[in-house]
Amino acid sequence: MSQSVMFMIDGVQVEGRAGQSILEAAGEAGVYIPRLCYKEGLSPHGSCRVCTVMVNGRPMSACTSPISLGMIVENDSPRVAQLRRDLIEMLFVAGNHFCMFCEKSGDCELQALAYRFGITAPKYPYMFPKREVDASHPDIFIDRNRCILCGRCVRASKELDGKNVFQFVGRSAEKRIAVNGEALADTDAAVTDAAADACPVGAILKKGVGYVVPVGKREYDDKPIGSDIEAKRPAAGS
Amino acid sequence: MAEILEEAAIREICQAHDCNRARLLDIARAVHKKCGYISGHAMNLIADELSTHRVEVESLVSFYSFLSDKPRGRIVIRLCNDIIDQMNGAQLVGRAFSEELGIDFGRTASDGAITLEHTACIGMCDQAPAALINDVVVTNLSSDKAREIVRELRQHTDPQRLVKHLGDGNNAHELVNSMVQNNVRLPGPSIFSPVNRGEALRKALVMSPAEVIRAIKTARLRGRGGAGFPTGMKWEFARAAPGDRKFVFCNADEGEPGTFKDRAILTERADRVFAGMTIAGYAIGASEGILYLRGEYAYLRPFLEHVLQKRREDGLLGDDIFAAEREPAPPKPAGERDVHRRPGTAGRRPFSFDIRIQMGAGAYVCGEETALINSCEGMRGDPRNRPPFPAQEGFLGCPTVVNNVETLCCAAKILEEGPATFNQYGSEQSSGTKLLSISGDCRRPGIYEVSFGIELSEVLEMCGARDAIAVQVGGASGEMVAPDQYDRTICFDDLCTGGAIMVFGPGRNVLEIARSFMDFFVEESCGYCTPCRVGNVLLRERLEKILDAKGEPADLEYLEALCRTIKTGSRCGLGQTSANPVLTTLKNFRKVYEVMVQEDREGLKRSFDLQRAVAEAEELCGRESIHNHV
Ligand SMILES: Cc1cc2nc3c(=O)[nH]c(=O)nc-3n(C[C@H](O)[C@H](O)[C@H](O)COP(=O)(O)O)c2cc1C
Ligand code: SF4
Ligand code: SF4
Ligand code: FES
Ligand code: FES
């Protein structure tokens, strides 16, 4: 049994276990900390920064920071929400996200977060980068226009599939996702890979199943992202 | 045939590095040198030899600016285009290079021999404009010199032959053989004082490791790399961290624009740096050290290897240091204390420590300590998530101390002369002396060793810059200080800096300077985290809009909010400080911004250019507008 660790989040006492991250411990207690690059079952990445919380007044990514006894975490506050809103908007303008034409619409975590934060249009100017599409593989395609560089595909391929299909290349704003070969078809990627299901946005999609679930019946169509976690929260007073 | 030879050469390079995945950066550098670039085929070969994946090799190659996956000339000219060089005429020099070669920057001449590129600060700001030609540094460039260089290179194709005269001090050593000048204008009592070789180490080794750490703490030494973390505490953490294998790293990445003092230390006091590393090794219980030398300083490498070799020969490095002086302990009856302990002799357990040099390959972020460790492991220079901290889990997962070149020199000096001699300079919170790298609009650019607590006005007086209209303290990530604040002091509590002082004289535009710094950060962000990767591009966009006379008053609030988001959200020190040039100019030079931004008379957006919008639309739909918009 791991040792119990008590800490505060938004004024509420929460009990976690030693070694847990803030994001995990909060999640078990029914407190949703927004996230994009984090995916359960994968090692944390700390890149999107959407999970940023204030720990004893200092910003930290909740997915990579372990809990400690008596720490005071600020998650649901105006300044933290504003920071997250800015980060989400940055991800929109840095890519080419035309949700109305995207197969992932309704199942997309980026879009769902934008709705949750009430973002209708970004305040930043669009960058309209030129990005490549790779449709070489018979069952999977990559549309880098929508990639937010979260690295979930990279980690899923390594950690769950035991492969090494994806990796980052380049740096700065030129950073992009690459595959282990000239094109995806040259790699050992398979449609059954965990990596094919890891992408939070519509950058890695399976061919031929885009509209099997119709728009309107999708994951985030009628309940905001994070609702499943918040449902675990004990009712007030109980 | 040539391909088969090349294939054999690549495999040989891998094997010479034991096909060790952790040496991928060295392997890539060697292959690059051999082939001029790293082709997809070369990546496949390397991946095969190292039992890794091609995309892992590509990932590394694409990260470092000195490595290319496309054919380049055998000679690469890299002209620094940072602000200091621009102020010294780098634009004209660039044009001369460009014209003489008949190519734009980023291109290779038609005969495939010479490539022309821009690069960030190469640590020669005191002799700008400066360029790297392969490993050779050329300084104080002019258009004429640039043309002459190209003509010569076309004749003999040997950059080393461009060295026409030698710099001062060890720059003239046959293994350095460089035109670089040290420009040490004010040698102080600590760093550049004469070295009594072996003294500091000898004194350390008769103390216990805990006593060594106590001496560093008594001297109140804090890191000279910029952040000012207490060195004794860092060493203590690493000492206490569990593990049989520990490491000492010397951070000689010196990438902060405007900083060049480590260059002079490595040239003139390499022995002191290596002594400091060895002492740190003894203190924390490490037997291995790595000096991470930025790719731009490759010209110093043969000399530094030579200094290391001499230390090995003299028993100051390697197996059982001071073995000759360590007589076997005389047998003594149980319980009796050894009263005859002479310094460096009996009773001490053997201590072994060796140092190797790891070359960088052109990436500012690799100066961040966890990125530096990744780089040494043959990875991209992405910083790591913290915790764990390097002192707990660093290189290869082992406890690792990373210290700046100057910090390690100070440590050696403290052991040499005692903490009291060291901390008689400076103040309680900021003890000792600090090297300043001064460049820009001043009469005497160069390196000055001053006591902590010195006023900025005194610094300006010293270097001949009384008329400065602005001073950037701390390099690109530092603070732009206005004349009414020249009474501020250089110390950890006020102007905390790795030592870069960039002086700007009358007629300079602080907005343009800030924009130039943003160019730097946009280029150098590792791209890992959202706020730094995207936010810095947005910051630069808005600065450009204002410089373009299209700014509106609301843009200033927009900039401030954006700066805050980048600072708060970013994962490492790069993004946490990259907004500083904008934030501090907004704060200290508000007026300059205010005159640049205006409300439009007709209530229209000043940034909206109707003509251009129509032209764009026409181009997109492939026909002319039927309306008249003039
Ligand atoms: C982007 C970035 C670049 C850095 N570059 C350097 C550098 O070139 N040299 C250096 O000593 N420290 C640099 N640092 C600071 C190091 O991370 C680290 O704090 C320092 O090497 C510790 O040594 P010290 O305690 O002796 O100063 C950099 C930090 C950041 C965030
Ligand atoms: S392709 Fe998808 S999973 Fe991979 S980095 Fe891009 S957004 Fe993340
Ligand atoms: S702050 Fe910049 S340099 Fe640091 S991790 Fe983020 S993207 Fe990389
Ligand atoms: S979820 Fe923590 S940084 Fe992305
Ligand atoms: S050498 Fe160009 S700014 Fe330092």
Side-chain angles (χ1 to χ4, degrees), chain A residues 25-41:
Chain A
E28 276 184 16
V31 177
Y32 172 64
I33 299 179
R35 76 284 305 268
L36 273 170
C37 67
Y38 173 87
K39 187 170 168 61
E40 203 178 331

mmCIF file of all heavy atoms in Angstrom, chain A residues 25-41:
data_model
loop_
_atom_site.group_PDB
_atom_site.id
_atom_site.type_symbol
_atom_site.label_atom_id
_atom_site.label_comp_id
_atom_site.label_asym_id
_atom_site.label_seq_id
_atom_site.Cartn_x
_atom_site.Cartn_y
_atom_site.Cartn_z
ATOM 1 N N ALA A 25 -3.982 12.331 -8.908
ATOM 2 C CA ALA A 25 -4.595 12.335 -7.582
ATOM 3 C C ALA A 25 -5.869 13.174 -7.590
ATOM 4 O O ALA A 25 -6.884 12.787 -6.999
ATOM 5 C CB ALA A 25 -3.603 12.877 -6.551
ATOM 6 N N ALA A 26 -5.821 14.304 -8.277
ATOM 7 C CA ALA A 26 -7.003 15.162 -8.348
ATOM 8 C C ALA A 26 -8.115 14.421 -9.094
ATOM 9 O O ALA A 26 -9.284 14.444 -8.679
ATOM 10 C CB ALA A 26 -6.659 16.472 -9.056
ATOM 11 N N GLY A 27 -7.750 13.761 -10.170
ATOM 12 C CA GLY A 27 -8.729 13.036 -10.977
ATOM 13 C C GLY A 27 -9.450 11.969 -10.167
ATOM 14 O O GLY A 27 -10.671 11.824 -10.262
ATOM 15 N N GLU A 28 -8.715 11.245 -9.339
ATOM 16 C CA GLU A 28 -9.347 10.204 -8.525
ATOM 17 C C GLU A 28 -10.326 10.805 -7.534
ATOM 18 O O GLU A 28 -11.291 10.161 -7.132
ATOM 19 C CB GLU A 28 -8.282 9.397 -7.783
ATOM 20 C CG GLU A 28 -7.717 8.306 -8.666
ATOM 21 C CD GLU A 28 -6.711 7.422 -7.935
ATOM 22 O OE1 GLU A 28 -6.669 7.443 -6.688
ATOM 23 O OE2 GLU A 28 -5.974 6.719 -8.647
ATOM 24 N N ALA A 29 -10.054 12.053 -7.156
ATOM 25 C CA ALA A 29 -10.945 12.712 -6.201
ATOM 26 C C ALA A 29 -12.060 13.463 -6.919
ATOM 27 O O ALA A 29 -12.815 14.216 -6.305
ATOM 28 C CB ALA A 29 -10.130 13.667 -5.331
ATOM 29 N N GLY A 30 -12.144 13.290 -8.235
ATOM 30 C CA GLY A 30 -13.233 13.926 -8.976
ATOM 31 C C GLY A 30 -12.972 15.372 -9.346
ATOM 32 O O GLY A 30 -13.884 16.109 -9.698
ATOM 33 N N VAL A 31 -11.693 15.791 -9.256
ATOM 34 C CA VAL A 31 -11.359 17.152 -9.683
ATOM 35 C C VAL A 31 -10.697 17.060 -11.056
ATOM 36 O O VAL A 31 -9.631 16.453 -11.213
ATOM 37 C CB VAL A 31 -10.394 17.827 -8.685
ATOM 38 C CG1 VAL A 31 -9.997 19.212 -9.186
ATOM 39 C CG2 VAL A 31 -11.035 17.917 -7.315
ATOM 40 N N TYR A 32 -11.342 17.646 -12.033
ATOM 41 C CA TYR A 32 -10.825 17.579 -13.392
ATOM 42 C C TYR A 32 -9.793 18.674 -13.612
ATOM 43 O O TYR A 32 -10.087 19.862 -13.442
ATOM 44 C CB TYR A 32 -11.967 17.739 -14.390
ATOM 45 C CG TYR A 32 -11.515 17.873 -15.836
ATOM 46 C CD1 TYR A 32 -10.860 16.832 -16.477
ATOM 47 C CD2 TYR A 32 -11.756 19.047 -16.553
ATOM 48 C CE1 TYR A 32 -10.447 16.950 -17.791
ATOM 49 C CE2 TYR A 32 -11.362 19.179 -17.873
ATOM 50 C CZ TYR A 32 -10.697 18.122 -18.489
ATOM 51 O OH TYR A 32 -10.288 18.243 -19.792
ATOM 52 N N ILE A 33 -8.600 18.269 -13.991
ATOM 53 C CA ILE A 33 -7.582 19.230 -14.425
ATOM 54 C C ILE A 33 -7.460 19.057 -15.929
ATOM 55 O O ILE A 33 -7.121 17.974 -16.400
ATOM 56 C CB ILE A 33 -6.229 18.980 -13.726
ATOM 57 C CG1 ILE A 33 -6.387 19.144 -12.206
ATOM 58 C CG2 ILE A 33 -5.166 19.935 -14.265
ATOM 59 C CD1 ILE A 33 -5.109 18.902 -11.414
ATOM 60 N N PRO A 34 -7.772 20.094 -16.697
ATOM 61 C CA PRO A 34 -7.728 19.967 -18.151
ATOM 62 C C PRO A 34 -6.353 19.500 -18.622
ATOM 63 O O PRO A 34 -5.342 19.842 -18.009
ATOM 64 C CB PRO A 34 -8.016 21.388 -18.635
ATOM 65 C CG PRO A 34 -8.777 22.020 -17.525
ATOM 66 C CD PRO A 34 -8.217 21.431 -16.273
ATOM 67 N N ARG A 35 -6.328 18.719 -19.685
ATOM 68 C CA ARG A 35 -5.084 18.161 -20.184
ATOM 69 C C ARG A 35 -5.216 17.840 -21.659
ATOM 70 O O ARG A 35 -6.324 17.619 -22.154
ATOM 71 C CB ARG A 35 -4.706 16.907 -19.392
ATOM 72 C CG ARG A 35 -5.484 15.609 -19.706
ATOM 73 C CD ARG A 35 -6.892 15.497 -19.152
ATOM 74 N NE ARG A 35 -7.101 15.659 -17.747
ATOM 75 C CZ ARG A 35 -7.115 14.664 -16.862
ATOM 76 N NH1 ARG A 35 -6.926 13.420 -17.255
ATOM 77 N NH2 ARG A 35 -7.366 14.904 -15.602
ATOM 78 N N LEU A 36 -4.091 17.817 -22.350
ATOM 79 C CA LEU A 36 -4.086 17.393 -23.753
ATOM 80 C C LEU A 36 -3.001 16.356 -24.027
ATOM 81 O O LEU A 36 -3.252 15.332 -24.633
ATOM 82 C CB LEU A 36 -3.881 18.590 -24.683
ATOM 83 C CG LEU A 36 -5.150 19.339 -25.076
ATOM 84 C CD1 LEU A 36 -4.802 20.637 -25.803
ATOM 85 C CD2 LEU A 36 -6.037 18.473 -25.973
ATOM 86 N N CYS A 37 -1.789 16.640 -23.584
ATOM 87 C CA CYS A 37 -0.715 15.695 -23.914
ATOM 88 C C CYS A 37 -0.707 14.508 -22.965
ATOM 89 O O CYS A 37 -0.086 13.491 -23.253
ATOM 90 C CB CYS A 37 0.644 16.399 -23.946
ATOM 91 S SG CYS A 37 1.235 17.009 -22.367
ATOM 92 N N TYR A 38 -1.390 14.619 -21.848
ATOM 93 C CA TYR A 38 -1.483 13.492 -20.918
ATOM 94 C C TYR A 38 -2.501 12.485 -21.422
ATOM 95 O O TYR A 38 -3.574 12.853 -21.889
ATOM 96 C CB TYR A 38 -1.904 13.985 -19.532
ATOM 97 C CG TYR A 38 -2.187 12.858 -18.566
ATOM 98 C CD1 TYR A 38 -1.165 12.294 -17.818
ATOM 99 C CD2 TYR A 38 -3.482 12.340 -18.428
ATOM 100 C CE1 TYR A 38 -1.415 11.252 -16.936
ATOM 101 C CE2 TYR A 38 -3.732 11.284 -17.558
ATOM 102 C CZ TYR A 38 -2.701 10.749 -16.814
ATOM 103 O OH TYR A 38 -2.951 9.709 -15.967
ATOM 104 N N LYS A 39 -2.160 11.213 -21.359
ATOM 105 C CA LYS A 39 -3.136 10.159 -21.642
ATOM 106 C C LYS A 39 -2.880 9.028 -20.671
ATOM 107 O O LYS A 39 -1.736 8.586 -20.496
ATOM 108 C CB LYS A 39 -2.996 9.669 -23.081
ATOM 109 C CG LYS A 39 -4.093 8.694 -23.502
ATOM 110 C CD LYS A 39 -4.015 8.445 -25.006
ATOM 111 C CE LYS A 39 -4.869 7.269 -25.441
ATOM 112 N NZ LYS A 39 -6.293 7.418 -25.163
ATOM 113 N N GLU A 40 -3.918 8.579 -20.033
ATOM 114 C CA GLU A 40 -3.772 7.522 -19.054
ATOM 115 C C GLU A 40 -3.081 6.320 -19.687
ATOM 116 O O GLU A 40 -3.388 5.947 -20.814
ATOM 117 C CB GLU A 40 -5.163 7.122 -18.533
ATOM 118 C CG GLU A 40 -5.080 6.468 -17.177
ATOM 119 C CD GLU A 40 -6.458 6.108 -16.607
ATOM 120 O OE1 GLU A 40 -7.433 6.793 -16.938
ATOM 121 O OE2 GLU A 40 -6.520 5.134 -15.853
ATOM 122 N N GLY A 41 -2.133 5.769 -18.971
ATOM 123 C CA GLY A 41 -1.440 4.588 -19.484
ATOM 124 C C GLY A 41 -0.141 4.926 -20.200
ATOM 125 O O GLY A 41 0.630 4.044 -20.532
#
